[in-house]
């Protein structure tokens, strides 16, 4: 398996534009997580899905953020409209339920909003 | 403890020194404790997953212990090498939610 795949790796956009980040989890994994990395807060959990269903979105900062998982092999994180303070690295991770399992991370998307 | 906390925030050691750092996590509804190694410009990679009180795991020069009753875990590195330089993250998962909550990490720099 190629691991968790995120795209794009880098995104530069202007304030006010819509941004869509994409994630392909590892095949067979039933949990998917979106994290945001910032200097101040480290890795913040934004939202996670189990079997494509959003379980907890309490970490989503504002209504400008939304996430979907239309099927087991694809998820998106959308920011509309984007703001400079959204600039960060966004990571997607997937895992298999069960004790003793680990989460596998994608390479991240570095988002810069100017 | 309500959140996952790690200490120290950063650490510089000389090559060959042994070192350790701490992860504190909520002990109620504990499910698993994870340690990750995160190199700059890469994604976090799992080191250990521990689930039982008293668990000890080892991988080469790196080992970890777990105390679920008091809510802490230690990560040890024996004979640090420059290639050990990275941020070490711990994450806690609680039963019923399975979401990984991360600490802010310990940034280790091993000086040659």
């Amino acid at each position: 398996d190629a691991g968790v795949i995120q795209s794009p790796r880098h995104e530069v956009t202007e304030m006010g534009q819509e941004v869509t980040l994409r994630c392909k989890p590892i095949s067979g994994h039933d949990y998917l997580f979106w994290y945001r990395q910032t200097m101040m807060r480290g890795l913040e959990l934004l939202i996670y899905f189990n079997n494509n269903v959003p379980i907890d979105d309490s970490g989503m900062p504002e209504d400008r953020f939304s996430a979907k998982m239309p099927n087991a092999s694809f998820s998106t994180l959308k920011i509309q409209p984007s703001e400079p303070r959204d600039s960060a690295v966004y990571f997607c991770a997937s895992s298999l339920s069960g004790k003793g399992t680990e989460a596998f991370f994608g390479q991240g998307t570095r988002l810069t909003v100017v | 403890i309500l959140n996952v906390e790690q200490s120290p925030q950063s650490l510089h050691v000389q090559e060959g020194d042994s070192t350790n750092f701490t992860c504190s996590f909520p002990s109620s509804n504990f499910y698993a404790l994870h340690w990750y190694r995160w190199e700059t410009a890469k994604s976090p990679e799992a080191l250990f997953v521990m689930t039982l009180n008293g668990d000890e795991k080892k991988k080469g020069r790196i080992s970890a212990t777990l105390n679920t009753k008091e809510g802490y875990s230690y990560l040890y590195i024996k004979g640090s090498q420059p290639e050990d330089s990275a941020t070490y993250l711990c994450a806690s998962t609680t039963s019923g939610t399975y979401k990984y909550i991360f600490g802010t990490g310990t940034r280790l720099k091993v000086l040659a």
Side-chain angles (χ1 to χ4, degrees):
Chain A
D1 199 314
V4 177
I5 299 173
Q6 290 186 247
S7 65
R9 291 291 306 276
H10 302 273
E11 176 81 38
V12 181
T13 190
E14 289 186 348
M15 183 174 64
Q17 296 298 305
E18 177 181 294
V19 176
T20 299
L21 312 181
R22 297 172 177 79
C23 175
K24 182 181 188 307
I26 291 174
S27 176
H29 281 190
D30 54 350
Y31 280 87
L32 184 140
F33 307 84
W34 281 101
Y35 289 90
R36 177 170 68 176
Q37 181 212 354
T38 62
M39 288 294 292
M40 294 297 293
R41 297 184 181 178
L43 271 176
E44 292 179 272
L45 178 63
L46 300 176
I47 185 171
Y48 78 103
F49 296 83
N50 176 222
N51 292 322
N52 315 338
V53 176
I55 302 300
D56 185 344
D57 64 355
S58 59
M60 297 284 261
E62 301 171 32
D63 291 346
R64 298 184 296 107
F65 286 69
S66 62
K68 293 182 180 179
M69 192 165 186
N71 57 62
S73 58
F74 184 65
S75 177
T76 59
L77 178 68
K78 187 178 292 187
I79 308 172
Q80 164 63 19
S82 57
E83 297 182 2
R85 61 194 168 117
D86 301 330
S87 298
V89 181
Y90 291 81
F91 284 97
C92 172
S94 71
S95 71
L96 191 59
S97 57
K99 210 150 195 174
T101 59
E102 62 196 63
F104 293 83
F105 283 78
Q107 297 286 1
T109 295
R110 181 175 294 278
L111 172 65
T112 303
V113 183
V114 297
Chain B
I1 294 174
L2 299 177
N3 297 313
V4 178
E5 298 170 358
Q6 292 187 247
S7 63
Q9 192 171 18
S10 64
L11 190 57
H12 286 66
V13 300
Q14 292 292 325
E15 183 177 359
D17 286 351
S18 294
T19 187
N20 65 85
F21 7 101
T22 306
C23 172
S24 301
F25 55 89
S27 54
S28 60
N29 300 316
F30 173 81
Y31 188 71
L33 191 282
H34 310 254
W35 280 102
Y36 284 80
R37 183 171 180 274
W38 193 5
E39 290 182 73
T40 303
K42 294 186 178 180
S43 52
E45 292 185 350
L47 285 172
F48 305 114
V49 181
M50 295 183 289
T51 58
L52 298 175
N53 186 44
D55 253 355
E56 290 188 30
K57 293 281 178 87
K58 188 176 180 188
K59 187 183 289 187
R61 295 179 290 99
I62 304 177
S63 60
T65 60
L66 179 67
N67 182 320
T68 62
K69 293 183 179 178
E70 296 182 40
Y72 65 84
S73 174
Y74 294 132
L75 188 80
Y76 301 92
I77 302 178
K78 185 177 177 182
S80 303
Q81 300 296 310
E83 57 264 30
D84 296 329
S85 298
T87 296
Y88 291 84
L89 295 168
C90 72
S92 167
T93 53
T94 52
S95 57
T97 66
Y98 308 111
K99 61 183 178 181
Y100 293 70
I101 302 299
F102 282 85
T104 52
T106 292
R107 201 174 305 115
L108 174 67
K109 177 75 174 175
V110 181
L111 306 170

